[in-house]
Amino acid sequence: MERLALRTRLRPGCEETYDREHAEIPAALESAMRANGVISWRIFRDGLDLFHFVEVEDYAALQAALKDDPADQAWQRQMNRLLDGDFDKSAGGLRQVWELT
């Protein structure tokens, strides 16, 4: 199992929209994530910074499995409107900030 910390950042002025739209993820996306090894994925917001704490069987395998998943693609399009710089999954997964022991 991998325990990772990842980071993204919101575009200034998008905090309220993010909080409202991210209050619940779509069931199809949660199902796809769980089916591909996600044990837990929590996101905490501090101002514009989003800190992702992830427990997953294999992060690289998860990213590969979700790359073409329609639920994940729709979610990424929705969230990319709010991020400071689009997150292009074709370039790979979120950059790992650190691995937790």
Side-chain angles (χ1 to χ4, degrees):
M1 177 181 66
E2 295 178 71
R3 297 177 71 212
L4 308 172
L6 313 166
R7 180 185 164 273
T8 52
R9 190 167 169 83
L10 289 175
R11 182 176 292 133
C14 291
E15 299 91 334
E16 286 182 32
T17 303
Y18 171 85
D19 289 344
R20 184 178 59 253
E21 291 185 13
H22 204 268
E24 186 175 330
I25 67 167
L29 176 58
E30 183 173 1
S31 239
M33 291 173 66
R34 297 251 181 238
N36 287 289
V38 170
I39 298 159
S40 69
W41 191 307
R42 301 285 181 259
I43 301 175
F44 301 93
R45 184 171 72 77
D46 182 13
L48 297 176
D49 290 308
L50 302 173
F51 298 97
H52 308 243
F53 296 94
V54 183
E55 290 182 300
V56 62
E57 293 301 326
D58 182 330
Y59 184 65
L62 170 70
Q63 293 300 311
L66 292 181
K67 182 176 152 248
D68 297 320
D69 184 277
D72 187 60
Q73 290 175 344
W75 182 252
Q76 293 308 321
R77 280 192 302 275
Q78 181 181 345
M79 288 298 108
N80 277 345
R81 301 177 3 264
L82 309 175
L83 295 179
D84 187 14
D86 282 349
F87 170 53
D88 179 2
K89 291 187 81 164
S90 68
L94 290 174
R95 184 177 64 81
Q96 180 176 324
V97 177
W98 66 87
E99 184 165 359
L100 306 170
T101 57

